Amino acid sequence: MLGWILLISFFARSYLVRKHEIKEAVGFPYVEGDIKWDSRATIVYPVICAAAGFFAGMFGVGGGIVKGPLMLAMGVHPKVSSASSACMILFTSFTATTSFVVFGLLDMDYAAVCMSLGFVATLVGQIGLFYLMEKFQRNSYIAFSIGGIVLLSAFLMTIQSLISMADSGGPRPPSGICTGKQ
């Protein structure tokens, strides 16, 4: 499997670098938010994305939360970054919810309340952000909202971990498939 991934990555990188060189040779006019897939970018960004995916899977956060700020750092337009992050979060959330339903771990009463609250909060956030962007003609509010959500998530996960450790009397000993203890 890893061999196929590396092979496909090599061909994709070769294609992107070749296309970038052609664009540079003809003087292609890049617009704001275009990514220049040069030889450096085709190594750095995929490595960062792979690391982001690894840590997102390890810590249970959606890839969109990690990759949203990365796309902003790459120079992607804030609206595109926000929409791409929302799409990634939608699919990871749907997959996680499906897993919980399949294994019977989802309390449908909580699910209905959380889903309704999520839709209302999303609607209010979208309307509020759209209003601010139209009024002040600034896209930076999107970047600030992504950064604020990531910061809030990190803070709340830290608080939750500290509360869990305090309730259980400290860090739990390792258990699971790898240790042979369940």
Side-chain angles (χ1 to χ4, degrees):
M1 177 72 107
L2 184 60
W4 282 110
I5 292 171
L6 292 175
L7 183 68
I8 292 168
S9 298
F10 173 76
F11 283 117
R13 180 182 185 275
S14 299
Y15 171 78
L16 289 171
V17 169
R18 188 171 50 251
K19 194 165 184 142
H20 173 74
E21 289 169 352
I22 292 170
K23 286 180 178 182
E24 289 292 317
V26 298
F28 181 80
Y30 289 97
V31 297
E32 179 188 355
D34 277 352
I35 301 171
K36 295 181 181 178
W37 290 108
D38 57 10
S39 58
R40 179 185 177 276
T42 55
I43 295 290
V44 172
Y45 295 144
V47 167
I48 292 173
C49 286
F54 174 77
F55 287 112
M58 289 293 293
F59 297 113
V61 296
I65 290 176
V66 178
K67 290 186 182 169
L70 173 64
M71 286 187 281
L72 290 174
M74 290 169 62
V76 174
H77 194 278
K79 287 183 180 179
V80 175
S81 173
S82 176
S84 299
S85 296
C87 185
M88 285 184 256
I89 291 170
L90 171 74
F91 285 109
T92 55
S93 298
F94 177 76
T95 303
T97 303
T98 303
S99 297
F100 276 92
V101 169
V102 166
F103 292 112
L105 300 172
L106 185 66
D107 185 350
M108 288 300 181
D109 295 333
Y110 287 141
V113 170
C114 288
M115 189 174 91
S116 301
L117 184 63
F119 277 123
V120 170
T122 301
L123 181 64
V124 169
Q126 284 291 105
I127 291 171
L129 201 55
F130 183 75
Y131 171 76
L132 285 173
M133 289 184 343
E134 287 294 315
K135 182 176 181 181
F136 297 108
Q137 296 296 312
R138 295 184 54 108
N139 288 321
S140 59
Y141 294 113
I142 296 173
F144 289 138
S145 68
I146 291 173
I149 289 169
V150 170
L151 184 64
L152 180 65
S153 297
F155 177 73
L156 292 176
M157 284 179 15
T158 303
I159 297 297
Q160 179 62 38
S161 296
L162 291 173
I163 290 171
S164 294
M165 285 193 308
D167 287 345
S168 66
R172 286 181 272 177
S175 65
I177 297 171
C178 296
T179 61
K181 299 180 227 171
Q182 295 293 327

